[in-house]
Amino acid sequence: RQNTFEIQDTGCVLDSCLAAAYALAILTQAQASNIILAGFDGYSLEDARHEKMEQILDNYKSLKNSKPIRSLTETSYSVESYY
């Protein structure tokens, strides 16, 4: 479903087949305290794939049970970076 990011006890409903969306759902269901990214430097800002990943991150961050996301490496995505 469009603009959907739902994490349920035994599955998830996502609007994307990107592995990153599934990883966020799994980490949240596994009760991770935070999520740290490495190597998510991102596509160019004009690339549709960059926009899709930003949409996934925005949908995830809007969840009441979302976890803080940070990046160990430089990234063009809208997450806090340790870099």
Side-chain angles (χ1 to χ4, degrees):
R1 292 185 294 194
Q2 190 171 5
N3 292 323
T4 301
F5 204 121
E6 296 176 12
I7 301 171
Q8 303 162 352
D9 290 340
T10 58
C12 58
V13 179
L14 307 170
D15 74 341
S16 172
C17 61
L18 291 179
Y22 286 97
L24 291 171
I26 291 167
L27 291 168
T28 303
Q29 186 60 23
Q31 299 180 354
S33 57
N34 59 59
I35 298 170
I36 299 175
L37 306 176
F40 275 70
D41 50 337
Y43 298 100
S44 71
L45 298 179
E46 299 81 27
D47 193 310
R49 295 172 293 182
H50 178 86
E51 186 175 319
K52 183 62 180 171
M53 189 61 196
E54 284 288 3
Q55 180 184 24
I56 289 168
L57 291 168
D58 289 344
N59 289 343
Y60 176 76
K61 290 176 194 177
S62 72
L63 298 176
K64 67 177 182 175
N65 61 338
S66 68
K67 307 299 179 186
I69 302 175
R70 295 179 184 89
S71 179
L72 289 176
T73 55
E74 187 175 12
T75 183
S76 61
Y77 295 123
S78 57
V79 297
E80 183 182 341
S81 179
Y82 292 115
Y83 181 79

XYZ file of all heavy atoms in Angstrom:
651
model
N 0.842 -1.187 0.000
C 0.000 0.000 0.000
C 0.881 1.241 0.000
O 1.886 1.287 0.712
C -0.907 -0.010 1.216
C -1.950 -1.113 1.138
C -2.899 -1.031 2.285
N -2.199 -1.314 3.534
C -2.799 -1.572 4.671
N -4.103 -1.578 4.730
N -2.122 -1.806 5.754
N 0.471 2.245 -0.720
C 1.262 3.459 -0.866
C 1.419 4.182 0.468
O 0.476 4.298 1.245
C 0.609 4.378 -1.887
C 1.485 5.541 -2.271
C 0.901 6.312 -3.442
O -0.191 6.039 -3.904
N 1.641 7.267 -3.923
N 2.647 4.664 0.725
C 2.979 5.404 1.948
C 2.622 4.633 3.221
O 2.184 5.202 4.199
C 2.308 6.781 1.968
C 2.888 7.686 0.912
O 4.083 7.657 0.641
N 2.054 8.489 0.307
N 2.801 3.324 3.178
C 2.481 2.482 4.323
C 3.747 1.901 4.918
O 4.620 1.417 4.215
C 1.543 1.326 3.902
O 0.361 1.877 3.349
C 1.190 0.447 5.077
N 3.840 1.973 6.231
C 4.925 1.325 6.960
C 4.324 0.854 8.276
O 4.188 1.617 9.214
C 6.071 2.304 7.213
C 7.399 1.621 7.431
C 8.471 1.880 6.620
C 7.575 0.713 8.470
C 9.695 1.264 6.815
C 8.785 0.090 8.674
C 9.851 0.364 7.837
N 3.923 -0.399 8.311
C 3.318 -0.974 9.499
C 4.147 -2.167 9.956
O 4.504 -3.021 9.148
C 1.887 -1.455 9.213
C 0.924 -0.354 8.839
C -0.451 -0.881 8.471
O -0.740 -2.075 8.722
O -1.229 -0.102 7.911
N 4.435 -2.206 11.237
C 5.164 -3.325 11.808
C 4.206 -4.065 12.735
O 3.663 -3.482 13.666
C 6.402 -2.842 12.584
C 7.325 -2.057 11.646
C 7.135 -4.021 13.212
C 8.460 -1.351 12.343
N 3.992 -5.337 12.432
C 3.066 -6.155 13.202
C 3.835 -7.258 13.919
O 5.030 -7.440 13.673
C 2.002 -6.726 12.266
C 1.261 -5.631 11.509
C 0.526 -6.134 10.285
O 0.661 -7.282 9.881
N -0.258 -5.253 9.685
N 3.164 -7.999 14.780
C 3.823 -9.064 15.553
C 4.454 -10.133 14.673
O 5.518 -10.651 14.992
C 2.836 -9.715 16.515
C 2.447 -8.798 17.654
O 3.183 -7.823 17.929
O 1.400 -9.049 18.271
N 3.801 -10.476 13.591
C 4.296 -11.573 12.756
C 4.566 -11.151 11.315
O 4.641 -11.990 10.427
C 3.288 -12.740 12.751
O 2.035 -12.253 12.264
C 3.130 -13.328 14.134
N 4.702 -9.880 11.060
C 4.978 -9.431 9.707
C 4.979 -7.920 9.604
O 5.008 -7.212 10.610
N 4.948 -7.437 8.381
C 4.937 -6.003 8.158
C 4.210 -5.703 6.856
O 4.066 -6.564 5.996
C 6.355 -5.442 8.124
S 7.427 -6.172 6.863
N 3.731 -4.484 6.734
C 3.096 -3.999 5.512
C 3.897 -2.779 5.076
O 3.957 -1.777 5.794
C 1.615 -3.607 5.754
C 0.999 -3.080 4.467
C 0.823 -4.781 6.312
N 4.537 -2.898 3.920
C 5.422 -1.845 3.434
C 5.009 -1.430 2.031
O 4.434 -2.223 1.288
C 6.870 -2.346 3.405
C 7.399 -2.944 4.704
C 8.742 -3.602 4.464
C 7.491 -1.890 5.767
N 5.333 -0.219 1.663
C 5.040 0.225 0.298
C 6.254 0.070 -0.603
O 6.289 0.580 -1.703
C 4.531 1.665 0.282
C 5.610 2.688 0.542
O 6.661 2.317 1.081
O 5.404 3.858 0.207
N 7.270 -0.635 -0.129
C 8.501 -0.783 -0.892
C 9.062 -2.187 -0.719
O 8.931 -2.803 0.337
C 9.543 0.229 -0.397
O 10.784 -0.022 -0.999
N 9.693 -2.672 -1.767
C 10.355 -3.971 -1.669
C 11.854 -3.799 -1.388
O 12.602 -4.768 -1.404
C 10.127 -4.776 -2.943
S 10.789 -3.998 -4.423
N 12.288 -2.576 -1.099
C 13.701 -2.341 -0.803
C 14.087 -3.038 0.497
O 13.343 -2.998 1.488
C 13.994 -0.851 -0.688
C 13.908 -0.037 -1.972
C 14.205 1.433 -1.695
C 14.880 -0.567 -3.005
N 15.236 -3.674 0.505
C 15.697 -4.417 1.679
C 15.802 -3.526 2.909
O 15.565 -3.987 4.031
C 17.041 -5.065 1.375
N 16.129 -2.264 2.731
C 16.270 -1.349 3.872
C 14.968 -1.231 4.650
O 14.973 -1.169 5.880
C 16.738 0.021 3.404
N 13.838 -1.218 3.962
C 12.542 -1.120 4.638
C 12.300 -2.357 5.494
O 11.857 -2.262 6.644
C 11.426 -0.950 3.615
N 12.595 -3.522 4.949
C 12.434 -4.757 5.717
C 13.391 -4.794 6.898
O 13.028 -5.224 7.987
C 12.650 -5.977 4.820
C 11.496 -6.222 3.886
C 11.527 -5.758 2.576
C 10.358 -6.899 4.314
C 10.464 -5.968 1.717
C 9.284 -7.111 3.464
C 9.344 -6.650 2.166
O 8.284 -6.845 1.325
N 14.621 -4.329 6.696
C 15.596 -4.312 7.786
C 15.125 -3.422 8.928
O 15.239 -3.794 10.106
C 16.957 -3.843 7.268
N 14.567 -2.258 8.616
C 14.048 -1.369 9.658
C 12.912 -2.044 10.425
O 12.842 -1.957 11.653
C 13.563 -0.055 9.040
C 14.644 0.864 8.478
C 14.011 2.016 7.707
C 15.545 1.381 9.580
N 12.041 -2.735 9.714
C 10.927 -3.431 10.362
C 11.442 -4.549 11.270
O 10.991 -4.701 12.412
C 9.971 -3.998 9.311
N 12.391 -5.328 10.791
C 12.943 -6.438 11.586
C 13.653 -5.921 12.826
O 13.462 -6.443 13.923
C 13.895 -7.291 10.714
C 13.092 -8.043 9.655
C 14.705 -8.252 11.567
C 13.939 -8.665 8.561
N 14.475 -4.890 12.675
C 15.207 -4.340 13.811
C 14.264 -3.772 14.863
O 14.497 -3.897 16.067
C 16.194 -3.273 13.351
C 17.379 -3.804 12.547
C 18.127 -2.658 11.886
C 18.297 -4.626 13.435
N 13.194 -3.160 14.412
C 12.214 -2.603 15.348
C 11.472 -3.716 16.075
O 11.321 -3.680 17.297
C 11.224 -1.688 14.612
O 11.978 -0.661 13.957
C 10.226 -1.060 15.567
N 11.036 -4.727 15.345
C 10.326 -5.852 15.964
C 11.238 -6.615 16.920
O 10.784 -7.141 17.924
C 9.774 -6.793 14.877
C 8.912 -7.907 15.407
C 7.685 -7.405 16.168
O 7.231 -6.290 15.976
N 7.168 -8.228 17.043
N 12.537 -6.619 16.638
C 13.515 -7.291 17.514
C 13.869 -6.437 18.727
O 14.688 -6.818 19.532
C 14.774 -7.624 16.725
N 13.255 -5.276 18.821
C 13.422 -4.348 19.938
C 14.843 -3.800 20.068
O 15.371 -3.627 21.168
C 12.959 -4.993 21.240
C 11.507 -5.376 21.201
C 11.008 -6.012 22.480
O 11.763 -6.284 23.400
N 9.716 -6.231 22.537
N 15.457 -3.493 18.917
C 16.748 -2.805 18.932
C 16.563 -1.453 19.602
O 15.504 -0.834 19.481
C 17.269 -2.623 17.508
N 17.573 -0.989 20.315
C 17.441 0.305 20.992
C 17.714 1.467 20.038
O 17.207 2.567 20.235
C 18.365 0.381 22.203
O 19.702 0.166 21.812
N 18.517 1.245 19.016
C 18.763 2.249 17.986
C 19.270 1.541 16.739
O 19.597 0.366 16.781
C 19.722 3.344 18.458
C 21.063 2.798 18.883
O 21.753 2.176 18.098
N 21.432 2.995 20.126
N 19.317 2.266 15.640
C 19.742 1.701 14.362
C 20.910 2.522 13.846
O 20.819 3.748 13.743
C 18.576 1.706 13.353
C 17.436 0.827 13.898
C 19.041 1.238 11.983
C 16.151 0.933 13.120
N 22.004 1.839 13.551
C 23.205 2.517 13.065
C 23.486 2.034 11.646
O 23.607 0.833 11.399
C 24.409 2.251 13.981
C 24.098 2.792 15.383
C 25.672 2.878 13.410
C 25.145 2.487 16.417
N 23.581 2.977 10.725
C 23.844 2.677 9.323
C 25.325 2.872 9.013
O 25.977 3.726 9.607
C 23.036 3.605 8.417
C 21.525 3.669 8.631
C 20.915 4.727 7.709
C 20.883 2.320 8.402
N 25.823 2.114 8.059
C 27.179 2.307 7.541
C 27.139 2.037 6.044
O 26.534 1.060 5.609
C 28.168 1.380 8.227
N 27.710 2.917 5.270
C 27.749 2.740 3.828
C 26.484 3.163 3.101
O 26.317 2.872 1.929
N 25.597 3.859 3.760
C 24.388 4.386 3.135
C 24.667 5.805 2.666
O 24.066 6.758 3.139
C 23.217 4.383 4.131
C 22.481 3.084 4.213
C 23.067 1.974 4.775
C 21.188 2.982 3.722
C 22.398 0.773 4.854
C 20.501 1.790 3.796
C 21.110 0.678 4.363
N 25.606 5.942 1.731
C 25.990 7.279 1.275
C 24.896 7.936 0.458
O 24.812 9.147 0.389
C 27.302 7.258 0.509
C 27.353 6.219 -0.589
O 26.590 5.238 -0.511
O 28.156 6.375 -1.508
N 24.037 7.150 -0.133
C 22.896 7.715 -0.849
C 23.184 7.940 -2.321
O 24.318 8.001 -2.759
N 22.103 8.043 -3.058
C 22.173 8.367 -4.480
C 22.214 9.880 -4.613
O 22.006 10.615 -3.651
C 20.935 7.818 -5.191
C 20.821 6.310 -5.114
C 19.973 5.714 -4.192
C 21.560 5.498 -5.948
C 19.855 4.331 -4.115
C 21.458 4.112 -5.878
C 20.602 3.539 -4.964
O 20.501 2.175 -4.886
N 22.447 10.359 -5.828
C 22.409 11.808 -6.032
C 21.003 12.301 -5.708
O 20.016 11.563 -5.818
C 22.782 12.162 -7.472
O 21.749 11.768 -8.357
N 20.907 13.548 -5.293
C 19.629 14.093 -4.853
C 18.572 14.090 -5.950
O 17.374 14.093 -5.659
C 19.831 15.506 -4.309
C 20.745 15.616 -3.088
C 20.874 17.073 -2.663
C 20.252 14.761 -1.947
N 18.988 14.067 -7.218
C 18.050 14.071 -8.335
C 17.567 12.668 -8.692
O 16.642 12.503 -9.477
C 18.696 14.701 -9.584
C 19.130 16.134 -9.401
C 20.484 16.257 -8.694
O 21.304 15.322 -8.791
O 20.707 17.280 -8.043
N 18.184 11.657 -8.127
C 17.866 10.267 -8.456
C 16.573 9.840 -7.752
O 16.400 10.072 -6.555
C 19.030 9.374 -8.009
C 18.948 7.975 -8.565
O 17.871 7.343 -8.457
O 19.966 7.492 -9.076
N 15.673 9.203 -8.478
C 14.394 8.755 -7.908
C 14.603 7.762 -6.770
O 13.803 7.699 -5.834
C 13.534 8.128 -8.999
N 15.704 7.007 -6.812
C 15.979 6.043 -5.732
C 16.296 6.757 -4.419
O 15.965 6.267 -3.346
C 17.121 5.113 -6.134
C 16.761 4.232 -7.322
C 17.938 3.471 -7.826
N 18.915 4.398 -8.404
C 20.054 4.041 -8.966
N 20.379 2.766 -9.041
N 20.868 4.936 -9.468
N 16.921 7.921 -4.513
C 17.189 8.710 -3.307
C 15.866 9.154 -2.685
O 15.663 9.038 -1.475
C 18.051 9.933 -3.633
C 18.316 10.795 -2.446
N 19.356 10.555 -1.589
C 17.650 11.865 -1.949
C 19.326 11.450 -0.620
N 18.296 12.258 -0.819
N 14.979 9.635 -3.511
C 13.669 10.088 -3.036
C 12.889 8.938 -2.396
O 12.249 9.111 -1.363
C 12.880 10.679 -4.208
C 11.570 11.306 -3.799
C 10.873 11.983 -4.970
O 11.558 12.632 -5.777
O 9.647 11.823 -5.051
N 12.965 7.742 -2.994
C 12.253 6.582 -2.448
C 12.810 6.212 -1.079
O 12.053 5.919 -0.142
C 12.358 5.391 -3.416
C 11.593 4.186 -2.962
C 10.115 4.497 -2.859
C 9.326 3.288 -2.415
N 7.936 3.606 -2.110
N 14.125 6.234 -0.916
C 14.733 5.900 0.374
C 14.368 6.944 1.422
O 14.091 6.609 2.576
C 16.252 5.781 0.224
C 16.931 5.233 1.448
S 16.384 3.579 1.855
C 16.969 3.471 3.525
N 14.340 8.208 1.036
C 13.919 9.267 1.966
C 12.477 9.046 2.409
O 12.136 9.240 3.576
C 14.069 10.651 1.334
C 15.489 11.159 1.273
C 16.053 11.573 2.625
O 15.401 11.438 3.675
O 17.200 12.039 2.624
N 11.634 8.626 1.477
C 10.232 8.344 1.803
C 10.144 7.194 2.807
O 9.374 7.264 3.768
C 9.456 7.996 0.532
C 7.998 7.699 0.778
C 7.287 7.273 -0.489
O 7.908 6.785 -1.441
N 5.990 7.451 -0.515
N 10.941 6.162 2.611
C 10.966 5.037 3.553
C 11.391 5.521 4.932
O 10.765 5.189 5.943
C 11.911 3.924 3.044
C 11.292 3.244 1.829
C 12.218 2.915 4.145
C 12.244 2.336 1.088
N 12.450 6.317 4.984
C 12.932 6.828 6.272
C 11.891 7.717 6.942
O 11.661 7.605 8.152
C 14.249 7.591 6.076
C 15.451 6.729 5.699
C 16.620 7.616 5.252
C 15.868 5.829 6.848
N 11.245 8.580 6.179
C 10.210 9.452 6.735
C 9.031 8.642 7.272
O 8.534 8.908 8.369
C 9.714 10.454 5.696
C 10.726 11.527 5.377
O 11.692 11.699 6.161
O 10.560 12.205 4.351
N 8.590 7.650 6.495
C 7.483 6.806 6.954
C 7.867 6.049 8.219
O 7.066 5.925 9.146
C 7.055 5.826 5.859
C 6.342 6.493 4.710
O 5.874 7.618 4.822
N 6.260 5.815 3.586
N 9.097 5.561 8.267
C 9.560 4.838 9.451
C 9.610 5.768 10.665
O 9.128 5.424 11.738
C 10.938 4.212 9.215
C 11.465 3.543 10.460
C 10.965 2.317 10.865
C 12.422 4.168 11.256
C 11.415 1.718 12.032
C 12.868 3.573 12.420
C 12.360 2.352 12.803
O 12.793 1.769 13.968
N 10.190 6.939 10.495
C 10.324 7.884 11.610
C 8.969 8.324 12.171
O 8.887 8.728 13.327
C 11.122 9.114 11.176
C 12.587 8.839 10.923
C 13.240 10.114 10.414
C 14.590 9.877 9.825
N 15.160 11.123 9.291
N 7.926 8.242 11.366
C 6.604 8.659 11.832
C 5.932 7.611 12.724
O 4.916 7.907 13.356
C 5.700 8.987 10.642
O 5.322 7.804 9.965
N 6.495 6.428 12.798
C 5.927 5.387 13.655
C 6.153 5.718 15.121
O 7.216 6.234 15.487
C 6.576 4.032 13.358
C 6.405 3.461 11.960
C 7.197 2.173 11.830
C 4.942 3.222 11.653
N 5.191 5.403 15.960
C 5.348 5.680 17.392
C 6.440 4.824 18.017
O 7.046 5.215 19.003
C 4.026 5.496 18.135
C 3.530 4.075 18.179
C 2.262 3.955 18.980
C 1.837 2.487 19.022
N 0.700 2.277 19.857
N 6.731 3.663 17.440
C 7.761 2.789 18.003
C 9.055 2.791 17.187
O 9.872 1.881 17.307
C 7.225 1.362 18.148
C 6.807 0.744 16.827
O 6.526 1.448 15.864
N 6.745 -0.570 16.783
N 9.252 3.829 16.364
C 10.494 3.908 15.585
C 11.685 4.108 16.517
O 11.558 4.631 17.623
C 10.420 5.041 14.566
O 10.417 6.294 15.205
N 12.821 3.679 16.058
C 14.073 3.803 16.814
C 14.925 4.902 16.194
O 14.824 5.181 15.004
C 14.845 2.470 16.783
C 14.020 1.275 17.220
C 13.538 1.425 18.638
C 12.684 0.226 19.032
N 12.067 0.350 20.311
N 15.789 5.520 16.996
C 16.688 6.538 16.423
C 17.597 5.910 15.366
O 18.104 4.804 15.561
C 17.511 7.007 17.626
C 16.764 6.553 18.833
C 15.982 5.349 18.432
N 17.775 6.619 14.263
C 18.654 6.153 13.186
C 19.823 7.110 13.072
O 19.637 8.319 12.985
C 17.903 6.096 11.839
C 16.688 5.173 11.934
C 18.832 5.623 10.731
C 15.833 5.174 10.677
N 21.019 6.549 13.060
C 22.243 7.343 12.904
C 23.138 6.659 11.877
O 23.045 5.462 11.678
C 22.967 7.469 14.233
C 22.173 8.253 15.260
C 22.913 8.345 16.592
N 22.085 9.015 17.575
C 21.219 8.409 18.379
N 21.055 7.110 18.301
N 20.513 9.096 19.245
N 24.009 7.435 11.268
C 24.933 6.895 10.278
C 26.373 7.053 10.749
O 26.760 8.125 11.226
C 24.743 7.613 8.942
O 25.647 7.099 7.997
N 27.144 5.988 10.621
C 28.568 6.044 10.961
C 29.388 6.694 9.854
O 30.502 7.148 10.088
C 29.119 4.633 11.201
C 28.662 3.928 12.463
C 29.226 2.513 12.496
C 29.098 4.688 13.701
N 28.835 6.700 8.653
C 29.547 7.248 7.505
C 28.757 8.422 6.917
O 27.577 8.604 7.210
C 29.723 6.161 6.424
O 28.441 5.612 6.091
C 30.637 5.045 6.913
N 29.418 9.194 6.099
C 28.759 10.337 5.459
C 27.571 9.851 4.642
O 27.636 8.819 3.971
C 29.757 11.055 4.557
C 29.239 12.334 3.972
C 30.297 13.075 3.192
O 31.364 12.522 2.896
O 30.034 14.244 2.862
N 26.468 10.585 4.709
C 25.261 10.200 3.999
C 24.496 11.429 3.532
O 24.575 12.485 4.158
C 24.358 9.306 4.883
O 23.217 8.892 4.127
C 23.895 10.040 6.137
N 23.773 11.263 2.447
C 22.917 12.352 1.973
C 21.488 12.184 2.480
O 20.638 13.023 2.207
C 22.919 12.391 0.436
O 22.418 11.177 -0.096
N 21.237 11.118 3.231
C 19.888 10.898 3.774
C 19.673 11.724 5.035
O 20.623 12.112 5.706
C 19.671 9.406 4.059
C 19.692 8.556 2.817
C 20.580 7.513 2.693
C 18.842 8.840 1.765
C 20.611 6.731 1.553
C 18.878 8.070 0.604
C 19.749 7.022 0.512
O 19.786 6.271 -0.625
N 18.426 11.954 5.350
C 18.079 12.809 6.480
C 18.096 12.022 7.791
O 17.062 11.785 8.401
C 16.711 13.456 6.254
O 15.733 12.459 6.055
N 19.281 11.590 8.169
C 19.501 10.920 9.453
C 20.700 11.587 10.123
O 21.564 12.153 9.457
C 19.751 9.390 9.292
C 18.552 8.699 8.703
C 20.988 9.120 8.488
N 20.734 11.488 11.435
C 21.875 12.031 12.166
C 23.127 11.251 11.795
O 23.081 10.042 11.611
C 21.606 11.918 13.676
C 22.694 12.527 14.517
C 22.424 12.364 16.016
O 21.274 12.124 16.386
O 23.394 12.495 16.772
N 24.237 11.943 11.678
C 25.472 11.293 11.281
C 26.567 11.509 12.308
O 26.699 12.598 12.865
C 25.940 11.838 9.925
O 27.149 11.234 9.534
N 27.298 10.462 12.599
C 28.478 10.573 13.462
C 29.660 11.115 12.688
O 30.675 11.464 13.238
C 28.869 9.206 14.034
C 27.883 8.641 15.024
C 27.176 7.487 14.751
C 27.656 9.271 16.253
C 26.289 6.949 15.664
C 26.774 8.742 17.165
C 26.100 7.586 16.861
O 25.219 7.059 17.773
N 29.521 11.139 11.363
C 30.624 11.531 10.482
C 30.944 12.990 10.628
O 30.140 13.847 10.754
C 30.243 11.196 9.035
C 31.324 11.537 8.039
C 32.405 10.699 7.889
C 31.245 12.676 7.276
C 33.397 10.994 6.967
C 32.223 12.978 6.345
C 33.300 12.145 6.212
O 34.286 12.425 5.304
